[in-house]
Amino acid sequence: MIEFIIFFISSILLVLIVHEFSHDLAGRLINLKNNLFGLAIFGAFVNVPLENATRKQKTFVYLAGPLFPLIFLGIPFYYLINFSGIALSSFLYNFLNIFLISLILV
């Protein structure tokens, strides 16, 4: 049981860090340096200054949060499924959970 709790907490932390890092990376790609990046007890945060950004730039930074983890974490899951023999239904269940967590964090 303790292994499950450790795995669950580390999975959530990984998703949080990748999610917030993707906002930061998107901001850096359009030359908006972040002011603050942190990991707190109840979540993570990044402060990308969007006051002077265009609507397209804001949309890019906002969508980077939920979309980048899908790519970053989805590809390893795909190869894990193909080479480990885990059932596809288990893969889809976990993949959708990560996607929903990413959307909730937006």
Side-chain angles (χ1 to χ4, degrees), residues 15-77:
V15 170
L16 281 172
I17 291 169
V18 171
H19 175 93
E20 295 303 331
F21 177 72
S22 63
H23 288 301
D24 178 49
L25 183 63
R28 290 176 188 268
L29 287 174
I30 56 175
N31 296 324
L32 298 172
K33 306 291 183 208
N34 77 351
N35 296 331
L36 188 61
F37 185 92
L39 184 63
I41 294 173
F42 298 108
F45 56 91
V46 65
N47 184 9
V48 178
L50 296 174
E51 295 85 22
N52 299 326
T54 66
R55 188 177 189 142
K56 260 187 188 178
Q57 290 173 329
K58 288 180 184 180
T59 304
F60 179 67
V61 172
Y62 293 148
L63 289 178
L67 294 180
F68 187 71
L70 284 176
I71 297 166
F72 182 76
L73 298 173
I75 292 172
F77 277 137

